[in-house]
Amino acid sequence: MPHKFSAEVIGCGDAYDGQHTNASLLLKQDCFSLLIDCGPSVPKALFAKQITPELIDAVYITHSHPDHCLGLTSLINWMDAQGRKKPIYIIAQQAQWAVLKPLIEFAYWPQTQLGFQVIWQDSATTSTIGHWSIKTAATRHAVSNLSLQLSNTDQHRLFYSGDGLLSEQGEQLAAQSDWVFLECETLEHHSSHGSWQDIKGLSRKANSLWRLYHIDPSVRARLAKLVQTTANIRLAEEGTVLCSIEHPTNQGTSHVA
């Protein structure tokens, strides 16, 4: 039987974007779902989809800036209120757990515990998440950020940068991936953010799909025009779903919904 791997754009906005949800992806394969990043506006977008409290199996946090993690409190609180019993995995850099754990504890205050288990994993040492093997690479950012590449059994690869200027390792992971989601805050080079100047010349896998997110609202319109001249690079849009079908022949197909 073929297996469907999908990636849905929950949010594509930057930290203070009033028109777009904070940057976030929801990945699914078989019965496993992974949420990547959970800023304060992400739970509302998930609730609007009428998801079940058991749907998300794991959350990967690229770094502990508020627009990438502050929604954990509302999301976990909602899961608990809706009677979730299944454990959830929180995958993040161990050095940042001290910032993230109080967000989880606030989700069940003033009670003494949740109705389900939270299992913490260090993203720097984790090699698998659900059905996927993973690789991480640091970016240059104001706080430590680990971008993420996931590979399924068909070796279909997705890369998500989080925030920051890609390292050489990150550029290599992006170049090997079929779906690439990159932060592009600015048009001109930035010392700690992704930019169109740095992204447009990167090596890309043939037929790969690249989507830019976390864009300063003041440059979004100009960036949308610039990418029109580059094949297979577009701005990410909320609600877009990329799908890949893994066939017994081990030759996958993909499309955008």
Side-chain angles (χ1 to χ4, degrees):
M1 293 290 291
H3 301 279
K4 181 178 179 181
F5 174 33
S6 67
E8 180 174 358
V9 179
I10 301 300
C12 61
D14 74 353
Y16 313 118
D17 193 328
Q19 301 299 317
H20 295 278
T21 300
N22 296 133
S24 179
L25 286 184
L26 182 61
L27 310 183
K28 299 178 184 178
Q29 184 163 332
D30 297 331
C31 296
F32 192 91
S33 295
L34 170 69
L35 182 69
I36 302 181
D37 283 340
C38 189
S41 57
V42 170
K44 180 180 179 182
L46 292 171
F47 302 157
K49 292 170 51 61
Q50 298 184 330
I51 67 169
T52 67
E54 306 279 341
L55 172 67
I56 297 171
D57 296 283
V59 181
Y60 181 94
I61 301 296
T62 56
H63 65 295
S64 58
H65 272 158
D67 60 312
H68 291 261
C69 67
L70 200 57
L72 282 172
T73 298
S74 295
L75 183 64
I76 297 298
N77 176 268
W78 172 79
M79 290 175 173
D80 197 39
Q82 297 298 312
R84 180 182 175 116
K85 299 301 179 185
K86 182 170 66 173
I88 190 167
Y89 291 83
I90 305 293
I91 304 157
Q93 298 170 72
Q94 189 168 3
Q96 297 179 8
W97 290 4
V99 175
L100 299 173
K101 286 188 174 182
L103 300 179
I104 304 297
E105 292 167 358
F106 188 38
Y108 57 83
W109 180 88
Q111 304 302 317
T112 58
Q113 61 183 17
L114 290 166
F116 57 94
Q117 185 181 11
V118 175
I119 302 172
W120 292 85
Q121 291 186 197
D122 182 7
S123 54
T125 59
T126 296
S127 59
T128 60
I129 302 175
H131 301 285
W132 308 293
S133 59
I134 74 165
K135 294 180 180 179
T136 60
T139 66
R140 187 186 303 167
H141 194 47
V143 301
S144 179
N145 172 94
L146 287 184
S147 56
L148 174 69
Q149 185 199 62
L150 300 101
S151 303
N152 66 5
T153 54
D154 190 38
Q155 293 303 301
H156 188 94
R157 296 183 176 94
L158 177 147
F159 180 81
Y160 181 89
S161 68
D163 280 3
L165 183 64
L166 292 182
S167 63
E168 182 178 347
Q169 182 185 6
E171 291 179 0
Q172 291 173 354
L173 292 178
Q176 298 163 359
S177 298
D178 303 282
W179 299 339
V180 177
F181 292 85
L182 293 179
E183 185 227 14
C184 187
E185 178 72 5
T186 63
L187 299 181
E188 303 299 327
H189 173 77
H190 193 288
S191 61
S192 63
H193 279 288
S195 72
W196 178 240
Q197 180 178 334
D198 292 306
I199 290 170
K200 64 183 180 181
L202 293 178
S203 297
R204 292 183 284 146
K205 184 178 180 179
N207 300 317
S208 59
L209 300 177
W210 288 43
R211 295 295 181 264
L212 309 182
Y213 68 88
H214 200 290
I215 301 158
D216 186 318
S218 68
V219 304
R220 179 177 287 274
R222 283 180 288 166
L223 181 60
K225 291 181 179 179
L226 289 170
V227 300
Q228 293 296 325
T229 62
T230 308
N232 295 332
I233 299 183
R234 294 294 180 266
L235 304 195
E237 298 180 4
E238 279 99 354
T240 298
V241 180
L242 305 182
C243 294
S244 175
I245 304 298
E246 179 187 343
H247 294 280
T249 60
N250 209 38
Q251 294 183 350
T253 61
S254 63
H255 69 276
V256 181

